[in-house]
PDB file of all heavy atoms in Angstrom:
ATOM      1  N   ARG A 259     -17.446   0.216  15.377  1.00  0.00           N
ATOM      2  CA  ARG A 259     -17.137  -0.728  14.303  1.00  0.00           C
ATOM      3  C   ARG A 259     -17.097  -0.048  12.940  1.00  0.00           C
ATOM      4  O   ARG A 259     -16.272  -0.391  12.093  1.00  0.00           O
ATOM      5  CB  ARG A 259     -18.158  -1.862  14.293  1.00  0.00           C
ATOM      6  CG  ARG A 259     -18.072  -2.759  15.531  1.00  0.00           C
ATOM      7  CD  ARG A 259     -19.035  -3.923  15.429  1.00  0.00           C
ATOM      8  NE  ARG A 259     -18.920  -4.784  16.603  1.00  0.00           N
ATOM      9  CZ  ARG A 259     -19.649  -5.888  16.780  1.00  0.00           C
ATOM     10  NH1 ARG A 259     -20.530  -6.262  15.853  1.00  0.00           N
ATOM     11  NH2 ARG A 259     -19.492  -6.612  17.878  1.00  0.00           N
ATOM     12  N   LEU A 464     -17.766  17.114 -14.960  1.00  0.00           N
ATOM     13  CA  LEU A 464     -18.265  18.135 -15.875  1.00  0.00           C
ATOM     14  C   LEU A 464     -17.241  18.516 -16.951  1.00  0.00           C
ATOM     15  O   LEU A 464     -17.504  19.389 -17.771  1.00  0.00           O
ATOM     16  CB  LEU A 464     -18.669  19.387 -15.090  1.00  0.00           C
ATOM     17  CG  LEU A 464     -19.846  19.212 -14.126  1.00  0.00           C
ATOM     18  CD1 LEU A 464     -20.054  20.482 -13.310  1.00  0.00           C
ATOM     19  CD2 LEU A 464     -21.116  18.846 -14.877  1.00  0.00           C
ATOM     20  N   GLN A 469      -6.556  17.818 -16.862  1.00  0.00           N
ATOM     21  CA  GLN A 469      -6.609  17.503 -18.275  1.00  0.00           C
ATOM     22  C   GLN A 469      -5.755  16.272 -18.604  1.00  0.00           C
ATOM     23  O   GLN A 469      -4.759  16.006 -17.938  1.00  0.00           O
ATOM     24  CB  GLN A 469      -6.114  18.705 -19.083  1.00  0.00           C
ATOM     25  CG  GLN A 469      -6.931  19.973 -18.873  1.00  0.00           C
ATOM     26  CD  GLN A 469      -8.401  19.784 -19.210  1.00  0.00           C
ATOM     27  OE1 GLN A 469      -8.741  19.400 -20.322  1.00  0.00           O
ATOM     28  NE2 GLN A 469      -9.272  20.037 -18.243  1.00  0.00           N
TER      29      GLN A 469
END
Side-chain angles (χ1 to χ4, degrees):
R259 293 184 179 180
L464 295 174
Q469 300 302 303

